[in-house]
Amino acid sequence: SYCATLQKQANDEQHNAARLRSELAGKKQRREILELEAEERRLKIEQDAELEQRQAEIRAKLEEESHELKEAALERKLALNKREIEAKREAMKGEDAATIQFLTALNNMGVDMTAFMCTAGGMKVASSVLSQAASLQKGKCKEEHTIKGEINVPKIKAEGNSVDIAWSST
């Protein structure tokens, strides 16, 4: 019976050892699964962070490009406005030159300009020319007296008491 007891004890120890090995293998397997899950979570967090960083970089680049495009559009608009203002200024100079030429011609013919401009007849004769003077238009630039960039100037012809005004291009 000593052998049987010893045999039973050896069998119990083997059974316990097998059970412990099985438990140890199960725990090892669960630990490996937990480590894999933790590694997967870590990789996902890294990937999400990298994705967010790339998206932020792309947004910043798009905002910068958008800003540059808006700035270029504003610069083009500013240049266009500057050219338009310069063109209006040149047109005003031409119209003013025509007015000055008209008044100078009257003065050269010996007309008393003060008396001339204070009479109804003088104003009637001068009004068509003076109405074209851009500098007398309170900021308005009349373009109807220019044709294809040419400036129309008055040609004054005086005979006796009458003055004829004809417009011609220069």
Side-chain angles (χ1 to χ4, degrees):
S1 124
Y2 177 69
C3 261
T5 307
L6 195 57
Q7 181 66 31
K8 183 175 187 254
Q9 194 177 10
N11 284 342
D12 286 343
E13 283 181 25
Q14 280 182 348
H15 180 64
N16 284 338
R19 184 179 53 78
L20 286 175
R21 280 192 301 272
S22 175
E23 284 179 15
L24 185 61
K27 287 181 181 181
K28 182 180 177 183
Q29 188 178 22
R30 282 191 296 276
R31 189 186 78 234
E32 288 174 355
I33 289 172
L34 289 174
E35 286 175 358
L36 287 173
E37 287 174 350
E39 179 67 15
E40 187 177 323
R41 284 191 302 273
R42 186 187 65 77
L43 287 174
K44 184 176 183 337
I45 290 170
E46 285 178 5
Q47 288 173 347
D48 289 347
E50 185 179 333
L51 178 63
E52 286 180 28
Q53 182 181 0
R54 285 184 183 173
Q55 287 175 338
E57 289 170 357
I58 290 170
R59 277 192 300 272
K61 187 175 181 177
L62 283 174
E63 287 176 14
E64 181 181 339
E65 288 176 4
S66 174
H67 176 73
E68 288 173 0
L69 289 173
K70 287 178 183 178
E71 190 175 281
L74 286 174
E75 287 175 5
R76 286 190 305 272
K77 186 176 181 179
L78 180 63
L80 178 63
N81 286 345
K82 187 175 179 180
R83 284 193 303 266
E84 287 175 354
I85 289 169
E86 188 59 35
K88 287 179 181 179
R89 186 176 297 136
E90 288 300 317
M92 286 175 63
K93 283 181 185 178
E95 291 170 357
D96 288 348
T99 303
I100 290 171
Q101 183 180 356
F102 169 74
L103 295 173
T104 302
L106 287 177
N107 192 37
N108 289 343
M109 288 189 285
V111 174
D112 178 0
M113 295 305 292
T114 305
F116 178 76
M117 296 303 292
C118 291
T119 64
M123 284 305 296
K124 183 176 179 185
V125 169
S127 66
S128 65
V129 175
L130 294 177
S131 68
Q132 298 171 43
S135 60
L136 299 177
Q137 296 301 315
K138 295 181 185 176
K140 294 181 183 175
C141 180
K142 292 203 167 199
E143 298 175 3
E144 64 236 19
H145 296 294
T146 58
I147 300 172
K148 296 180 185 174
E150 297 176 353
I151 301 170
N152 293 328
V153 294
K155 297 294 181 189
I156 304 166
K157 184 178 179 183
E159 291 183 17
N161 288 337
S162 69
V163 175
D164 291 324
I165 301 170
W167 290 95
S168 65
S169 298
T170 59

